[in-house]
Amino acid sequence: MTRSDAPRDQRSFDVVAWMSERRMVLYVPEIEAATSVRDMADADDAARELIAELTGLDAASISCDIRLGRPGGGPVGPAEMP
């Protein structure tokens, strides 16, 4: 779902993800908060739960655009990951 396709009550957040010490770090710049997961399959749920907990929004109304990268930097390719 793109931002323009999102329903009015749907909020979309950018999430930056990178590997660190065998975990995937998920950073949400808009709320300056992070969490981590062991499996990328859990990333969307974990990011939505973090955002919901810190903003008071309903997790069902949150969508996340997760991309590999570093905060303030460009994308991270597999050769660049620690």
Side-chain angles (χ1 to χ4, degrees):
M1 176 181 303
T2 64
R3 288 177 196 258
S4 60
D5 295 336
R8 279 184 184 240
D9 59 344
Q10 184 86 10
R11 284 283 314 269
S12 183
F13 290 82
D14 290 327
V15 178
V16 183
W18 67 90
M19 290 299 297
S20 178
E21 299 182 22
R22 299 180 194 203
R23 295 185 68 85
M24 179 69 64
V25 176
L26 306 168
Y27 175 68
V28 185
E30 187 172 337
I31 61 172
E32 296 183 353
T35 189
S36 66
V37 293
R38 290 192 185 274
D39 187 337
M40 189 61 180
D42 299 327
D44 190 67
D45 287 341
R48 286 188 300 110
E49 288 173 19
L50 173 70
I51 295 164
E53 184 176 321
L54 296 177
T55 65
L57 295 170
D58 179 10
S61 71
I62 298 168
S63 68
C64 297
D65 180 19
I66 301 173
R67 68 173 175 81
L68 292 178
R70 292 282 185 161
V76 175
E80 300 170 52
M81 287 185 172

